[in-house]
Amino acid sequence: MFCCDGISTGNPGVAGLGVVVRHHSCQVLGVLAGGVGTATNYIANAYAIICAVELAVEWKISDIIINSDSQTVLQEFEENRLPWMIKMRWIKASAQIYSIQFIHSFKETNFSANAAAKKGAILGAGQRKWYSGRPGFLARIEQPNITYYRMC
């Protein structure tokens, strides 16, 4: 599972992406944080998903789950309606993946990817930092079968 998030301080503003890679028992395999430059939340979230799929291709993983708190971005990936600046990257990477399942989660249950995106926002545009295993800045990790509350 690739838990993805993008943030922007301002909209548009300084943006970052975060991807938390987990295996079937939910253990963190690694975390990718990346700088996007000046962008909107939408673009930062889209880049997070692209980076996750490219990482899956690099690792030769053919069945993946993409988890994001951006329902709009997930829907546009599912419908192949992507911004021009990432469309070719998506076509190239997704062609090498056998199965991609998209899962929407609320922001409150995507906090580890959000923490990684915050780390990415302090990097320059195009810079990436890979953390093997679970980095120290992830104090908490989302767990399956745990109830998380959303206060409205």
Side-chain angles (χ1 to χ4, degrees):
M1 179 177 344
F2 294 79
C3 299
C4 305
D5 200 10
I7 64 161
S8 176
T9 55
N11 204 18
V14 175
L17 64 87
V19 179
V20 178
V21 185
R22 303 171 76 166
H23 67 42
H24 65 280
S25 66
C26 294
Q27 293 295 330
V28 175
L29 298 174
V31 175
L32 176 68
V36 178
T38 301
T40 63
N41 286 328
Y42 173 89
I43 294 299
N45 275 294
Y47 272 116
I49 292 173
I50 287 290
C51 288
V53 174
E54 289 173 341
L55 191 56
V57 169
E58 183 180 322
W59 287 6
K60 296 180 180 18
I61 302 171
S62 61
D63 294 309
I64 64 172
I65 298 169
I66 299 290
N67 180 38
S68 174
D69 59 20
S70 177
Q71 193 165 14
T72 301
V73 173
L74 287 174
Q75 190 171 33
E76 297 207 350
F77 270 88
E78 285 181 299
E79 296 170 1
N80 204 24
R81 295 183 308 145
L82 304 170
W84 64 270
M85 75 279 275
I86 61 170
K87 190 159 187 121
M88 289 313 296
R89 283 178 68 182
W90 170 251
I91 290 170
K92 182 179 176 187
S94 64
Q96 299 178 60
I97 303 290
Y98 174 74
S99 171
I100 302 175
Q101 180 182 358
F102 295 98
I103 296 176
H104 174 257
S105 63
F106 290 111
K107 185 176 186 174
E108 294 79 6
T109 59
N110 199 30
F111 50 82
S112 60
N114 185 266
K118 287 178 182 175
K119 288 287 185 187
I122 62 174
L123 298 173
Q127 288 184 313
R128 304 283 185 263
K129 180 152 179 149
W130 173 255
Y131 302 87
S132 287
R134 181 176 169 181
F137 67 83
L138 290 184
R140 298 183 326 143
I141 298 291
E142 306 86 348
Q143 296 296 321
N145 304 318
I146 299 291
T147 302
Y148 294 94
Y149 292 95
R150 182 174 192 190
M151 303 300 177
C152 296

